[in-house]
Amino acid sequence: MSVTTTRPAPASAVRGPSDRARSRARRGGWGVLPTIVLLVGAFYCLVPVLWVYVASTKTRGELFTTFTFAPGTGLGENLTALFAYEGGQYLLWCLNSLIYSGVGSLLSVLVSTMAGYGLAKYEFRGRSFLFLSILAGVLIPGIVLAVPQYLLLSQLGLVGTHWSVLLPSVVSPFGIYLSRVYAMSAVPQETLEAARIDGAGEWRIFQRIVLPLMVPGMVTVFLLQFIGTWNNFLLPYIMLSDQSRYPLTVGLFTLLAKGSSSPALYSVAITGAAVSIIPLLALVLFLQRYWRLDLVSGGLKG
């Protein structure tokens, strides 16, 4: 005689249509919340940018008398005044920003790629300590390092030159960390071993195998470093005293400071801020095919 054991049906099997509908409704409600948060965040970030572009179209009188987001009639006048200021000082500031951001970012990408690859694929004494030190550097705000960097470069006689802004941006702890994360996943160890067996040297392996594999990560580091250097204000403000070496951030700050005695410069400074955003937008659009959000998220999660 056999005994039949009756097991209770799973809870999901006894749910009625109304239970499933309520479950889907709850999931749908929670799915709307992140969308709302993202929309609020996008609104918070984009409204100031919209205001800058709208304000750049207004004359001095319209800037302080018309509705905030009402377009004005002075865009051409503002652009003419901007590029004619001090005999083309704004264009010189643009060139300086391009040098600091472009050259500094290229050097930073090279250093970050080599350091990240070395930390990811080579075994040597003190590697863990070195990597933890780099992580500590990621956590230190740049404002804390500005004064020590000034004192160090002052001893070297580089304060006031382009090198005083370029050199501190070459070594990026965050860029090294991202490069290490990307090298660990994108560069197969088997490929490196096969190249060594074939007699290739380490430098040749780095040039011919590692660099092509790490191009997406390098472009991402370049983009992050370029934007960070382009928007940097504190370091060049401390290091530089000659207006001919100012980047856009410090140059526009001087325009705003002079605006208290000459209100017409407010419109010029706002128009300059609007124009300074265009190169960043163009760079992001040009490099968007290389942009890897999974690299950033993987780097932040560790």
Side-chain angles (χ1 to χ4, degrees), residues 24-181:
R24 285 195 298 268
R26 284 195 296 269
R27 289 196 299 268
W30 282 109
V32 172
L33 182 60
T35 303
I36 295 175
V37 173
L38 289 175
L39 290 176
V40 171
F43 180 80
Y44 176 79
C45 295
L46 293 178
V47 165
V49 178
L50 177 62
W51 180 87
V52 167
Y53 279 103
V54 172
S56 65
T57 65
K58 298 183 179 183
T59 62
R60 183 183 64 179
E62 294 172 339
L63 183 62
F64 298 101
T65 58
T66 60
F67 176 66
T68 300
F69 292 102
T73 59
L75 179 60
E77 178 184 345
N78 292 337
L79 289 174
T80 302
L82 174 66
F83 292 111
Y85 175 74
E86 296 289 337
Q89 189 81 54
Y90 182 80
L91 293 176
L92 183 58
W93 293 340
C94 290
L95 179 61
N96 290 333
S97 289
L98 187 61
I99 292 174
Y100 297 141
S101 302
V103 177
S105 299
L106 288 174
L107 294 175
S108 179
V109 167
L110 180 61
V111 172
S112 298
T113 303
M114 297 176 69
Y117 167 68
L119 289 170
K121 296 299 178 180
Y122 287 95
E123 294 285 347
F124 55 90
R125 182 177 298 178
R127 185 179 71 163
S128 299
F129 176 77
L130 181 59
F131 180 63
L132 292 176
S133 301
I134 293 173
L135 287 182
V138 173
L139 301 177
I140 298 176
I143 190 173
V144 176
L145 302 176
V147 174
Q149 287 171 346
Y150 174 83
L151 296 176
L152 177 61
L153 292 174
S154 178
Q155 293 293 325
L156 297 175
L158 296 177
V159 170
T161 66
H162 288 88
W163 290 108
S164 62
V165 181
L166 279 173
L167 289 179
S169 64
V170 170
V171 179
S172 171
F174 190 60
I176 295 174
Y177 179 53
L178 289 181
S179 298
R180 177 186 179 273
V181 172

Side-chain angles (χ1 to χ4, degrees), residues 5 18 25 65 106 140-141 154 159 202 218-219 227 239 255 266:
T5 302
S18 58
T65 58
L106 288 174
I140 298 176
S154 178
V159 170
E202 297 299 326
M218 293 168 61
V219 172
I227 293 175
M239 295 292 183
L255 280 179
Y266 280 127

Side-chain angles (χ1 to χ4, degrees), residues 200-211:
E202 297 299 326
W203 180 246
R204 184 179 180 85
I205 292 174
F206 180 75
Q207 283 183 305
R208 298 298 180 90
I209 298 176
V210 176
L211 286 182

